Amino acid sequence: MKFDISNVLVERKKLLIAIALIVIAALLGYRSYSSLSKKKTLQNRNQTTNVKTVKVSLGSISSEIEYASKLVPNQEISIAPKSAGKVAAINVKVSDKVTQGQILFTLDSSELKAQLDQQQANLNQQQANLQKTQDSSLAQQVVQANQTYQSSQLTYNDAKSYYEKMQKLYETGAVSKQDLDNSALKFNSAQVALNAAQDNLNLIQQKVGPESVSVAQAQLQQAQAGVDSVKTQISNYTVTSPITGIVSAVNVHVGEISSSGTSAVTVIDPNSLFAQINVPSNLVSKIQVGQSVTVKIADSSEKTAAGTIETITPEADSKTQSYLVKVKIDNSKGDFKPGMFSKVALPSDTKNNVITVPNETIKYESGVGYVYTVVNGKVKKNLVTTGIFNSKYTEITSSSIKADDDVITEGQIFLKDGQKVKIAD
């Protein structure tokens, strides 16, 4: 077989020309793309972007240490009846909201109500006895008896005076023995009448006198006390909530006996919660009662609340050498629940008159921190070193950031060094 060399050369030439055309097209495309990219970059540099900034200033900053705690209610009251009895009805369940004075449960008071009826009957009887003792007809008898006694006293006095006069006259012989005997008879009769009037008066006074009235009044008071005592016992069989709060436990059932020494219902006040933490002696001197602190809920929500140091124990625990600190949390909105785990942030170190910036202004690249500022209308990317920090601010220890610098607070990752920007109002 015979090959045509001229045809092979022609095919190779065509292939080389095709490859050359492809290379030329690629070079032209790259140059066009590069030109457009540079043009776009130049346009971006010349384009002005609005940014938000804050002014850097000298200030104070405190670093924080978090202490774990469990939220507990301000009040947690275990409620038991004052007297033991069989549970008749339960009016609440766990998680119910209750107000002060609201009925929680009642005990069976049927036997006490029977006793109350008896005491009331006795009271009614004693009231009648007192009324009878103070009756007006008996009082009139006292008046009449007293008048009779007074009249008998006058008659007696006259008879006595006459008899004594007759004795003296008889001794001188001025009157006869018969006259003396007659005067003696009148005197004796007057004395008998006086004694009878006195006895009658005393008898009537005993019926309506102060002593009888006092006895009747005392008996009435005793009967009233009996009624009041039973009413108090019946009232104690109705158990109410001493505070406004939420029922956290119900430990009784209808029909069982509830004793006075065992908690039947527990009510808590969730509006004010407390976190109790143990603070070491080297840090307790840095806090004080009334100081505001941050409390963070240790869950996925990471909710925070403002807390106030309520108490600090005056002495350290003998074993741990730490101080018990009680932090009060305002929970009026009900965001937090008793039993939630929390973290209390306390200051551990404080520096004054230093440069600080908000934490969100620092961006890290490969472990290196940068702060973006606005200088003469352009972005400047500043490498920074940091000192102490807390949940909001960080100390800047490097000289790249100074007081009155405008620090960009958001969107830094989309900005380029030297890019034109405008500070938004």
Side-chain angles (χ1 to χ4, degrees):
M1 181 176 182
K2 185 176 181 180
F3 292 96
D4 190 346
I5 298 176
S6 61
N7 289 335
V8 173
L9 293 176
V10 170
E11 292 298 326
R12 286 184 178 179
K13 185 177 180 179
K14 289 180 180 180
L15 178 61
L16 290 174
I17 291 173
I19 292 173
L21 289 174
I22 292 172
V23 171
I24 292 171
L27 290 174
L28 290 174
Y30 173 76
R31 180 175 295 180
S32 176
Y33 172 78
S34 178
S35 177
L36 290 173
S37 179
K38 289 180 179 180
K39 185 177 180 180
K40 187 174 181 181
T41 302
L42 183 60
Q43 288 177 348
N44 289 339
R45 286 180 178 272
N46 293 330
Q47 184 180 0
T48 301
T49 304
N50 290 333
V51 294
K52 294 182 179 180
T53 63
V54 294
K55 282 283 187 183
V56 176
S57 62
L58 294 173
S60 299
I61 184 172
S62 296
S63 59
E64 298 173 339
I65 295 180
E66 292 183 340
Y67 294 88
S69 178
K70 187 178 182 180
L71 298 183
V72 295
N74 178 33
Q75 287 183 295
E76 183 173 5
I77 300 180
S78 297
I79 303 162
K82 293 182 179 180
S83 303
K86 185 170 70 174
V87 178
I90 300 174
N91 300 68
V92 295
K93 61 182 181 297
V94 173
S95 298
D96 280 357
K97 293 181 178 180
V98 295
T99 57
Q100 184 177 11
Q102 181 175 333
I103 297 176
L104 303 176
F105 64 97
T106 56
L107 304 180
D108 184 7
S109 59
S110 56
E111 294 182 1
L112 288 176
K113 288 179 179 178
Q115 294 180 25
L116 179 61
D117 292 339
Q118 294 177 352
Q119 294 293 337
Q120 187 64 53
N122 181 45
L123 176 62
N124 295 338
Q125 181 180 353
Q126 296 306 324
Q127 287 175 333
N129 290 340
L130 178 61
Q131 183 65 33
K132 182 178 180 181
T133 305
Q134 294 175 330
D135 188 271
S136 59
S137 61
L138 291 177
Q140 183 64 32
Q141 293 179 30
V142 173
V143 173
Q144 292 176 353
N146 188 56
Q147 290 177 345
T148 301
Y149 171 76
Q150 295 295 334
S151 177
S152 299
Q153 182 69 56
L154 292 175
T155 302
Y156 170 79
N157 292 339
D158 288 343
K160 180 180 179 183
S161 177
Y162 181 73
Y163 174 68
E164 290 175 348
K165 181 179 179 181
M166 293 301 290
Q167 279 184 322
K168 291 179 181 180
L169 291 175
Y170 177 75
E171 290 175 356
T172 61
V175 295
S176 65
K177 180 70 168 55
Q178 183 64 39
D179 292 332
L180 177 62
D181 291 340
N182 289 336
S183 64
L185 180 60
K186 291 180 179 179
F187 173 62
N188 291 332
S189 297
Q191 188 172 18
V192 171
L194 178 62
N195 291 337
Q198 178 69 64
D199 291 341
N200 185 53
L201 177 62
N202 291 340
L203 181 62
I204 296 176
Q205 284 180 332
Q206 287 178 358
K207 295 180 180 180
V208 297
E211 292 182 358
S212 297
V213 172
S214 297
V215 170
Q217 288 176 336
Q219 291 173 342
L220 177 63
Q221 292 174 353
Q222 185 176 5
Q224 183 66 60
V227 171
D228 294 342
S229 176
V230 177
K231 284 184 176 180
T232 299
Q233 293 180 59
I234 292 176
S235 176
N236 290 340
Y237 272 24
T238 300
V239 183
T240 61
S241 176
I243 62 171
T244 297
I246 295 177
V247 177
S248 64
V250 177
N251 303 317
V252 291
H253 301 87
V254 173
E256 71 180 17
I257 301 299
S258 178
S259 64
S260 58
T262 304
S263 174
V265 176
T266 303
V267 178
I268 62 174
D269 174 15
N271 291 330
S272 292
L273 300 177
F274 283 90
Q276 298 186 42
I277 57 176
N278 295 303
V279 179
S281 57
N282 63 324
L283 292 179
V284 75
S285 60
K286 299 180 180 180
I287 60 175
Q288 59 184 353
V289 173
Q291 181 176 338
S292 296
V293 296
T294 300
V295 180
K296 182 187 298 182
I297 302 304
D299 60 12
S300 58
S301 66
E302 291 293 322
K303 291 181 179 179
T304 61
T308 304
I309 296 178
E310 185 85 357
T311 58
I312 303 174
T313 54
E315 293 182 351
D317 183 89
S318 58
K319 295 181 179 179
T320 63
Q321 292 302 306
S322 61
Y323 294 79
L324 181 63
V325 177
K326 194 175 182 181
V327 179
K328 184 178 181 180
I329 303 167
D330 181 13
N331 191 37
S332 56
K333 295 182 179 179
D335 292 336
F336 310 109
K337 305 295 182 183
M340 283 184 171
F341 288 97
S342 63
K343 296 178 182 179
V344 180
L346 297 183
S348 63
D349 193 11
T350 301
K351 288 186 178 182
N352 300 313
N353 201 34
V354 295
I355 294 290
T356 61
V357 296
N359 291 342
E360 63 270 18
T361 64
I362 304 176
K363 298 302 176 183
Y364 290 91
E365 299 176 11
S366 301
V368 179
Y370 293 92
V371 171
Y372 291 74
T373 58
V374 177
V375 180
N376 297 325
K378 294 183 179 181
V379 176
K380 183 179 179 181
K381 185 178 180 181
N382 305 274
L383 187 148
V384 295
T385 55
T386 59
I388 65 174
F389 61 92
N390 55 35
S391 60
K392 294 182 178 180
Y393 296 95
T394 298
E395 176 196 8
I396 301 298
T397 58
S398 57
S399 59
S400 55
I401 304 298
K402 299 179 177 58
D404 293 328
D405 281 353
D406 292 308
V407 177
I408 300 175
T409 58
E410 59 184 35
Q412 300 94 317
I413 60 175
F414 301 107
L415 299 175
K416 301 294 183 179
D417 193 19
Q419 181 178 340
K420 287 184 178 181
V421 291
K422 180 181 177 181
I423 298 176
D425 295 334

